């Protein structure tokens, strides 16, 4: 099992350029991302992070965009299970055609095609997209639509969103290596240097533990 320290070493090996440290607003948005992540959901930390983000100059639209971005962590459940569902189903005797029919092929061409981003994605999560499409075209299409929302609104710089996503994938309670590597590569490609990477991962390492969401659960 990979540790947070090992993820940090991977990140610092990704670039030799120190780059710029995180600006105050960028750091607060990443801290917000970690607090609101489904692996944390610490009510006090969320309240504090939102307030600190506003104090650092964030707009409500930027705070919402970060929340929207991080909510996409839920798709990791699909990433971790789609290939296994098909493999185990076939082993159990279910007949599942591995070829794409015409409607599924049209969806693949529309959303994946030859896009280099999804080519890189496939290297980290081989077979996931195809398996998800075979199992549920509705889920496949919804995956792309939902994950695109925080990238359409464009309230937060792409580099900061990649750093925020990377930090969430690196939290002690998550450590999702495929997503971490993807977002790390994207952040570096967008200009993030070792200083910003190290700061983002320090925020990730200090993520609050998930203590439960009693206030919402009790309706209080």
């Amino acid at each position: 099992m990979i540790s947070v320290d090992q993820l940090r070493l991977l990140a610092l090996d990704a670039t030799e350029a120190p780059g710029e440290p995180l600006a105050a607003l960028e750091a607060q948005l990443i801290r917000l991302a970690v607090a609101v992540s489904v692996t944390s959901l610490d009510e006090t930390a969320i309240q504090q992070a939102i307030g600190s983000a506003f104090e650092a100059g964030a707009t409500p639209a930027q705070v919402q965009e970060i929340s929207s971005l991080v909510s996409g962590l839920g798709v990791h459940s699909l990433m971790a299970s789609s290939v296994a569902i098909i493999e185990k189903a076939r082993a159990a005797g279910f007949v599942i055609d591995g070829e794409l029919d015409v409607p599924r092929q049209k969806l693949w061409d529309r959303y994946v095609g030859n896009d280099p981003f999804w080519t890189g994605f496939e290297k980290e999560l081989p077979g996931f997209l195809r398996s998800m499409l075979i199992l549920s075209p509705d889920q496949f299409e919804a995956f792309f639509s939902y994950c695109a929302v925080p990238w359409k609104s464009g309230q937060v710089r792409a580099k900061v969103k990649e750093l925020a996503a990377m930090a969430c994938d690196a939290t002690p309670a998550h450590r999702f290596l495929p997503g971490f590597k993807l977002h790390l590569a994207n952040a570096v490609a967008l200009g993030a240097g070792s200083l910003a990477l190290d700061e983002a991962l320090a925020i990730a390492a200090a993520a609050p533990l998930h203590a439960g969401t009693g206030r919402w659960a009790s309706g209080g």
Side-chain angles (χ1 to χ4, degrees):
M1 182 176 292
I2 194 163
S3 69
V4 176
D5 287 339
Q6 288 173 311
L7 292 177
R8 179 176 178 273
L9 291 176
L10 279 176
L12 297 183
D13 283 343
T15 178
E16 296 180 355
E20 297 293 325
L22 294 175
L25 174 57
E26 294 172 340
Q28 293 303 335
L29 289 175
I30 294 171
R31 192 165 286 109
L32 168 67
V34 167
V36 81
S37 165
V38 69
T39 60
S40 297
L41 288 185
D42 183 283
E43 298 175 55
T44 300
I46 291 171
Q47 295 283 346
Q48 292 174 344
I50 293 172
S52 296
F54 287 146
E55 289 174 5
T59 65
Q62 288 175 317
V63 169
Q64 167 59 29
E65 186 168 284
I66 288 293
S67 182
S68 175
L69 173 78
V70 176
S71 70
L73 281 180
V75 301
H76 292 173
S77 298
L78 298 171
M79 295 176 186
S81 65
S82 294
V83 172
I85 291 171
I86 287 184
E87 290 176 346
K88 293 295 184 181
R90 285 174 175 159
F94 292 94
V95 177
I96 300 179
D97 190 353
E99 298 300 316
L100 301 182
D101 57 19
V102 172
R104 284 176 170 83
Q105 186 63 55
K106 287 182 178 179
L107 286 173
W108 183 271
D109 293 341
R110 176 182 175 185
Y111 290 104
V112 179
N114 297 315
D115 188 326
F117 174 83
W118 295 113
T119 300
F121 185 95
E122 176 67 16
K123 290 180 180 178
E124 296 299 335
L125 289 154
F128 157 60
L129 291 172
R130 187 180 184 89
S131 296
M132 180 171 57
L133 177 55
I134 290 171
L135 289 167
S136 174
D138 287 339
Q139 181 64 76
F140 180 85
E141 194 165 17
F143 168 85
F144 285 93
S145 298
Y146 190 84
C147 291
V149 170
W151 298 95
K152 289 180 178 179
S153 45
Q155 298 295 318
V156 178
R157 292 172 60 199
K159 180 178 74 173
V160 178
K161 283 186 284 199
E162 293 291 357
L163 288 169
M166 181 196 74
C168 288
D169 283 348
T171 56
H174 198 43
R175 289 169 291 157
F176 187 71
L177 183 59
F180 173 84
K181 291 171 68 177
L182 283 167
H183 295 301
L184 168 61
N186 291 342
V188 171
L190 290 166
S194 59
L195 291 176
L197 294 172
D198 202 24
E199 288 184 61
L201 290 173
I203 293 171
L209 296 176
H210 196 318
T213 53
R215 178 169 63 88
W216 293 305
S218 65

